[in-house]
Amino acid sequence: MFPDLIKRPRRIRNSNIRDLVKESQLSVDDLIYPLFVVHGEGIKEEIPSMPGNYHWSLDLVMDEIEELVDLGIKAVILFGIPESKDPQGSNAWAEEGIVQQACQKIKEKYPELLVITDVCLCQYTDHGHCGILEDGKVKNDPTLELLAQTAVSHARAGADMVAPSDMMDGRVGAIRQGLDENGFEDVSIMAYSAKYASSFYGPFRDAAHSAPQEGDRRSYQMDPANSREAIKETALDIEEGADIVMVKPALSYLDIIKEIKEEFNYPVAAYNVSGEFSLIKAATEKGWVNEKEIVLEMLLSMKRAGTDLILTYFAKDVAEWLREE
Ligand code: PBG
């Protein structure tokens, strides 16, 4: 009458056992919070497609950082919005550039906070591409020098870690060399290694005013159809000196995270990008999903796939939710 069931997987799902057999866990230590900084004073302007995220002037961003630190968040990544753009993106490495000023100011008051900077030219070039443009083509090798110069200027301003997101070939090596030649051997590199040409960046490009004026980024960002390339890019970045490798976006690329973790057993970061954030925000506003539960489940899936660090616009909420539990 009864089936002869010796194996009953349900046994370990009892509430008193469940926690003991948990394989992955999300912690506030995993989180990196992205911040958008702008020139000026008294500016806290909400980004329409990314509710709860703002353009901050440096006077006001300090209050936000105090909140983050109080929540136990240990790392931020800075994105700058410059006052003016030109073909080379020279404000990316300007001594008084917005990210450089932000690093100085933040590290002065919060020396313990890990300050990471995004290294790219697209917010700074008038054409919106991540490298130098010649005859409608993004030129790889001449761009490397500018990226290295940008990374060095961030390090000089106090950045602890630089994160190249441009996807030019050889940028990690060029940046490592630039940093070392200038005495910044201790500044680490988190490489956007497997960065896909993704539609999930839409809200960010509104936020950072960095959409390409013409064409798209498919000549340098990876094809969503491919995974071999992700392995190749990551191997090169590690060879060139990356300390942490990143997969971006995260949610549609969990297979890539897993493959990279298994292949290299290296610290892996996942970028829970703007589009992934905004989809959940919009559905939450409609009352269609439970925001807290869905966000925690989503980030946990990244951990399960092999992620060590998560860059997420939900970091503050997550820190609060984890504290409640
Ligand atoms: C700059 C950069 C982008 C993002 C991070 N750095 C945009 C892009 O490559 O087009 C996207 C982040 C997000 O969508 O949250 N190259």
Side-chain angles (χ1 to χ4, degrees), residues 187-202:
V187 170
S188 42
I189 301 178
M190 173 165 67
Y192 288 70
S193 300
K195 178 169 177 178
Y196 284 87
S198 169
S199 297
F200 283 95
Y201 308 150

Side-chain angles (χ1 to χ4, degrees), residues 79 118 120 122-123 130 165 192 195 200-201 204-205 217 221 248 271 273-274 313:
F79 294 95
D118 183 85
C120 197
C122 60
Q123 283 113 276
C130 304
S165 67
Y192 288 70
K195 178 169 177 178
F200 283 95
Y201 308 150
F204 174 95
R205 290 183 189 166
R217 301 210 204 288
Q221 299 181 349
K248 176 186 175 191
Y271 201 139
V273 298
S274 58
Y313 304 98

Side-chain angles (χ1 to χ4, degrees), residues 40-303:
E41 253 180 65
I43 298 168
K44 177 187 175 182
E45 203 178 307
E46 189 162 34
I47 298 159
S49 52
M50 298 173 68
N53 288 266
Y54 300 84
H55 284 169
W56 297 98
S57 55
L58 298 185
D59 50 342
L60 298 189
V61 82
M62 298 308 278
D63 299 337
E64 176 76 348
I65 290 175
E66 190 172 333
E67 242 181 75
L68 300 174
V69 170
D70 288 344
L71 282 166
I73 293 170
K74 299 188 173 71
V76 294
I77 181 163
L78 302 178
F79 294 95
I81 290 119
E83 250 162 358
S84 63
K85 306 182 187 227
D86 60 28
Q88 272 76 40
S90 60
N91 275 324
W93 60 86
E95 208 176 308
E96 293 298 304
I98 183 63
V99 167
Q100 290 79 356
Q101 287 188 41
C103 286
Q104 252 167 5
K105 195 159 175 166
I106 296 168
K107 285 306 286 187
E108 209 171 286
K109 181 136 188 239
Y110 298 98
E112 302 299 319
L113 183 72
L114 186 84
V115 173
I116 309 168
T117 57
D118 183 85
V119 173
C120 197
L121 301 181
C122 60
Q123 283 113 276
Y124 303 89
T125 51
D126 51 14
H127 44 77
H129 278 288
C130 304
I132 292 189
L133 206 56
E134 262 173 47
D135 307 323
K137 288 210 170 84
V138 176
K139 290 286 182 191
N140 194 87
D141 299 9
T143 301
L144 298 180
E145 175 69 35
L146 305 182
L147 293 167
Q149 215 171 314
T150 301
V152 170
S153 76
H154 293 172
R156 199 167 277 137
D160 300 294
M161 184 185 284
V162 294
S165 67
D166 53 283
M167 289 303 277
M168 297 300 120
D169 294 336
R171 78 266 161 80
V172 172
I175 288 173
R176 188 67 270 161
Q177 193 184 332
L179 290 171
D180 292 354
E181 281 172 3
N182 286 277
F184 298 112
E185 302 84 359
D186 292 337
V187 170
S188 42
I189 301 178
M190 173 165 67
Y192 288 70
S193 300
K195 178 169 177 178
Y196 284 87
S198 169
S199 297
F200 283 95
Y201 308 150
F204 174 95
R205 290 183 189 166
D206 292 342
H209 310 303
S210 67
Q213 297 301 307
E214 251 175 79
D216 54 44
R217 301 210 204 288
R218 285 186 292 178
S219 80
Y220 42 106
Q221 299 181 349
M222 292 190 324
D223 184 342
N226 297 346
S227 66
R228 274 195 303 258
E229 272 189 281
I231 299 293
K232 193 190 337 177
E233 284 280 5
T234 306
L236 285 170
D237 284 359
I238 290 174
E239 234 169 78
E240 291 174 31
D243 301 286
I244 299 173
V245 294
M246 190 201 295
V247 176
K248 176 186 175 191
L251 203 49
S252 299
Y253 299 86
L254 294 178
D255 56 325
I256 305 296
I257 294 173
K258 193 171 166 77
E259 252 186 85
I260 286 179
K261 190 63 180 211
E262 280 171 1
E263 178 83 21
F264 302 102
N265 195 21
Y266 217 66
V268 175
Y271 201 139
N272 178 216
V273 298
S274 58
E276 298 169 7
F277 171 85
S278 301
L279 290 178
I280 291 180
K281 278 290 173 195
T284 302
E285 273 175 23
K286 293 238 178 212
W288 290 345
V289 294
N290 177 317
E291 184 181 29
K292 173 180 169 180
E293 285 173 8
I294 213 167
V295 170
L296 292 177
E297 181 179 334
M298 169 177 68
L299 299 187
L300 188 63
S301 74
M302 295 170 196
K303 295 286 297 190

